[in-house]
Amino acid sequence: MLSDDEWAEAAEELMHQTGIAPRDDPDACRWIAVRHADDHVHVVAMLAREDGRRPDVTRDYLKARKACRVLEERWGLHRTAPADRTAAPRPTRPELECARRTGAREPTRCALRRRVAAVAASAGDEEAFFAGLRERGLLVRLRFSVRTPGEITGFAVADPSYTNAEKAPIYFSGGKLAADLTLPKLRHRWGASVDVASARRAARMRRSVVGFDERNQAYREAARAAATAARHMRQTSDPRVRADIATAATDVLHVAADITGSRELAEVADVYARAAREPFGRPPVATQPGNGLRAAARLVAAVNIGIGDRRDRRRDLTVELLFLVANLLDVMDQLAAHREAQGRAAQAEAARRASERLRVAERGASSSRVRPTPPNVAEVQHAGRLAAEAFPVPLADGLRHIAARPSSPVPQRSQTRRGPKP
């Protein structure tokens, strides 16, 4: 607990760091601090200086965070994380109140962020991106260049059911949803991960009816890509490779949550996105492991188009999808250690929380004792126990359906004949 003098000093530091009332400025804004509780004060400031000018309050939230850091160091308080510009914009007070009045589970901004992120992860270009948004029933408004007629420079989306007092839809630009969802940064993401073969394959699957074998193969390829990315996260020390893998894993999580309808996976994807996002939403340098994850996300999304019932999407391929998620858990753990080494405490905590939420689901779903097994088999059982909690369709139902279905032959890996050893 701080004394009255210490709280007064804290309020003065806040006014100084934000530029509202700098020290030794007789013409600064007038302000007061009111303490009506033991653990906080309220500060009220006039946004007009004594000389008639307005104070510069640009990015005052970031400046206030700096003031808190100064006081923590001065008084030996618990050190909190600095502002790292990786958090997504929070819902405003009116948005929160509207969600509460209507009984919505979350504000519209959060739901839109998740839906736009899922479409961006499954699309390979902006044409498919805008078409995917409209297919989901969202309103899309494009922003055109004033210098180059016909050039699209940005976009905004709206939920038709979320309107203002005049019954007009309320639009959110990509940057208002997340720093990495602006159109220029999405274009960089799509252009950096161009793989002609995988792009053509995904486009072909989008236009045709995909059978079980093709879907099964797509899920297995995605699991292998995730395993390769996890291995690179463990073995490499290049921060650029780690940053790209972490960002690409977000796409896979968003797609997995979208095609399964799993609320648990959706929340994990939201939390993990904070850990994987670079400051200011800057896109990382594209790498081969990251591009493999992005291609896997688009392929998994493509093979599920046209399968209307989410239960049908999961029924046969629950186990394959869980192998993919289990490999992403390894990426989360490695990212948490990487962010901790970088000194990004908020992102490290976000990665740990995302990983822990999956592990909590695993422990909650494990109702029977499991015999000690080797690590590779334990990972399979880890994925199986996770299924019962993380996905609406119980794993037991999926396994019974798989057992009843005639097994398809698994293609054997070709072996090169070698001569006898000397």
Side-chain angles (χ1 to χ4, degrees), residues 65-146:
R65 185 89 282 277
K66 180 180 179 180
C68 294
R69 298 272 294 176
V70 169
L71 295 170
E72 289 165 1
E73 182 176 2
R74 182 180 304 172
W75 293 330
L77 304 177
H78 175 74
R79 302 298 297 276
T80 56
D84 56 8
R85 307 304 300 274
T86 59
R90 294 182 178 181
T92 62
R93 179 67 177 272
E95 294 172 18
L96 294 172
E97 292 295 331
C98 179
R100 183 185 60 81
R101 290 194 307 269
T102 58
R105 298 186 60 176
E106 60 184 354
T108 302
R109 184 194 298 263
C110 300
L112 284 176
R113 179 189 303 122
R114 187 178 302 118
R115 296 164 73 179
V116 171
V119 175
S122 60
D125 51 49
E126 58 186 281
E127 181 180 356
F129 174 64
F130 293 135
L133 293 177
R134 295 187 177 97
E135 289 174 0
R136 291 168 179 261
L138 300 180
L139 303 178
V140 181
R141 185 172 62 190
L142 303 180
R143 185 178 68 244
F144 293 90
S145 172
V146 296

Side-chain angles (χ1 to χ4, degrees), residues 246-311:
T247 304
T250 309
D251 287 0
V252 181
L253 280 172
H254 279 300
V255 168
D258 183 58
I259 64 177
T260 60
S262 168
R263 182 72 184 180
E264 180 72 18
L265 261 184
E267 294 175 352
V268 169
D270 290 343
V271 176
Y272 175 78
R274 167 73 187 278
R277 190 177 294 120
E278 290 298 299
F280 299 93
R282 288 190 294 263
V285 178
T287 62
Q288 184 176 358
N291 288 343
L293 278 178
R294 295 186 185 93
R298 295 170 189 170
L299 188 60
V300 170
V303 298
N304 284 278
I305 292 180
I307 306 176
D309 189 354
R310 282 197 175 103
R311 297 178 66 89

